[in-house]
Amino acid sequence: MATTTEKLRLDKYLWAIRVFKTRTQAAAACEAGKVKMNGVAVKAARAVSIGDQYDIKTEARKWKVEVTGLLHNRLQYSEAIKYYIDITTEEDKQFNQRVAATFYTGKRPSKIGRPTKRERRNLDEFMDGDEQ
């Protein structure tokens, strides 16, 4: 673990503890106001200190973490979790489970949207038969 006098950017810390997959995503979340300290949005370049508490909102879940150590490089998950304490409330954990159960797969739901070629032919036959 590093000493408290070293400087570490917030986006780099969030990337190193594996909250975000890339440092760019961490910086974008900070710029979008999705990372807060004491209810105030913080910038990506903010220096992280031991004892800081951050509220983080990602696409997958809400986090509330307390910094226990400064991590400059990305490590495997089992090592990275030693550098923060997850103090997420039970209410937010329930929200996280609800969101995960209804994720978007990219496919359109069945029987919604544009008709298939077969359905369009049936419609055309039906409409043409109506004119005679």
Side-chain angles (χ1 to χ4, degrees):
M1 289 187 195
T3 63
T4 57
T5 57
E6 294 182 35
K7 292 193 176 185
L8 176 63
R9 289 174 55 106
L10 178 60
D11 60 342
K12 189 172 183 180
Y13 176 76
L14 294 175
W15 164 76
I17 65 168
R18 297 180 167 268
V19 173
F20 293 99
K21 286 186 179 182
T22 66
R23 191 167 163 191
T24 305
Q25 287 177 341
C30 291
E31 295 302 318
K34 296 188 181 215
V35 179
K36 297 180 179 183
M37 180 178 181
N38 299 327
V40 179
V42 291
K43 293 185 179 180
R46 184 185 192 291
V48 177
S49 301
I50 293 176
D52 289 351
Q53 291 184 357
Y54 296 100
D55 293 313
I56 307 158
K57 190 173 185 181
T58 64
E59 289 182 17
R61 63 179 277 199
K62 291 180 182 179
W63 300 69
K64 184 164 184 154
V65 297
E66 182 176 346
V67 180
T68 58
L70 301 180
L71 182 60
H72 292 271
N73 297 322
R74 192 169 168 100
L75 298 176
Q76 60 184 333
Y77 176 76
S78 60
E79 292 296 316
I81 60 174
K82 297 175 183 175
Y83 291 87
Y84 70 93
I85 299 172
D86 188 357
I87 53 175
T88 308
T89 63
E90 287 298 320
E91 182 179 306
D92 287 341
K93 286 182 182 178
Q94 293 293 332
F95 172 78
N96 296 337
Q97 291 173 352
R98 217 174 27 247
V99 170
T102 60
F103 63 93
Y104 179 67
T105 61
K107 294 183 178 179
R108 74 175 180 89
S110 177
K111 298 181 176 76
I112 298 176
R114 294 176 59 182
T116 63
K117 193 171 194 176
R118 182 181 203 181
E119 292 169 339
R120 192 177 69 242
R121 285 180 181 156
N122 290 338
L123 281 170
D124 289 343
E125 289 175 12
F126 177 75
M127 296 303 277
D128 287 342
D130 198 31
E131 292 176 0
Q132 295 174 357

